[in-house]
Amino acid sequence: PQRAFVKKTKELNISTYCLPHGIFLYTNKYPTKKKTLTSNQADIFYDYYLFYGGSRQYLIDRGVPEKNIYLIGSMRYSREWMEIYREKFFKTKISSLLNDNGNLKIVFFLSQHIYNVDELKLMETLRSLSKLKNITTIVKPHTRGMSTDFMNGMGIFIDENTSSIELSEWCDIGILYGSSIGLQILFDNKILIYPN
């Protein structure tokens, strides 16, 4: 949807900046099922790409001219912004449904299956977690939406409504793959499990 805005800014001679909403954190060599990248000049429509370290080659592989890339670090995961973000936007209390009864608290942050996920191993992991005693496990589906039907009957609480920021603060352990929310887990001094 941003193409229309960028097209208009070019007509008005206004510069545009691409800022990533997160950071690519993958244990797989290929973050998606695609093994090759297709570069399409039509996809390159920002004047400047303000990204974080390690992303230069990712952008170049997708056809972004190197002269348009500036590595400035992650604004989303700077300590200053993380503290402002929590203070200004997340002042609600955790849902009473998340009562841990003194158990070890685990949140499994799911990413969409397109991220080269071994779906059988994922289901095996979730089933194993559901059987562990003295543990409260919550599954947080990807924030951009995904089906959770594959977990029916596992007895795991699926929480689509509580923010990932709040869940990070609540949990003792976060499990995730392919999501930069792991940096929030580390910022909150929680244990991060990042399965390969």
Side-chain angles (χ1 to χ4, degrees), residues 10-23:
K10 288 195 183 301
E11 290 172 12
L12 297 171
N13 201 27
I14 298 171
S15 296
T16 56
Y17 299 81
C18 178
L19 304 171
H21 72 276
I23 294 179

Side-chain angles (χ1 to χ4, degrees), residues 67-148:
K67 65 181 178 55
N68 294 31
I69 301 169
Y70 295 85
L71 302 181
I72 64 169
S74 170
M75 288 184 277
R76 164 64 180 91
Y77 288 104
S78 72
R79 181 170 297 277
E80 180 185 9
W81 174 244
M82 290 170 86
E83 289 169 356
I84 291 170
Y85 196 57
R86 173 172 277 142
E87 177 64 26
K88 299 287 186 194
F89 300 105
F90 298 103
K91 289 188 172 179
T92 60
K93 294 293 182 194
I94 297 291
S95 165
S96 61
L97 291 173
L98 305 186
N99 187 343
D100 58 89
N101 298 317
N103 291 343
L104 184 69
K105 300 171 293 211
I106 297 177
V107 178
F108 200 126
F109 295 89
L110 292 182
S111 288
Q112 296 162 330
H113 293 310
I114 61 167
Y115 291 108
N116 217 8
V117 176
D118 185 327
E119 294 173 30
L120 292 176
K121 284 186 180 177
L122 172 61
M123 290 182 59
E124 181 183 325
T125 302
L126 290 169
R127 277 195 202 95
S128 296
L129 283 171
S130 72
K131 293 174 183 172
L132 293 174
K133 296 190 183 328
N134 303 319
I135 290 180
T136 298
T137 301
I138 294 170
V139 170
K140 169 71 173 178
H142 197 276
T143 54
R144 287 192 292 279
M146 65 180 293
S147 172
T148 56

Side-chain angles (χ1 to χ4, degrees), residues 28-80:
N28 295 322
K29 179 178 180 184
Y30 300 102
T32 68
K33 295 183 188 303
K34 290 170 70 173
K35 299 281 192 292
T36 57
L37 303 173
T38 56
S39 184
N40 181 349
Q41 195 64 28
D43 290 336
I44 304 166
F45 46 84
Y46 294 104
D47 295 310
Y48 305 100
Y49 290 75
L50 308 180
F51 270 60
Y52 49 87
S55 62
R56 183 184 301 276
Q57 195 59 48
Y58 171 85
L59 293 168
I60 290 170
D61 288 348
R62 280 150 181 80
V64 177
E66 191 164 3
K67 65 181 178 55
N68 294 31
I69 301 169
Y70 295 85
L71 302 181
I72 64 169
S74 170
M75 288 184 277
R76 164 64 180 91
Y77 288 104
S78 72
R79 181 170 297 277
E80 180 185 9

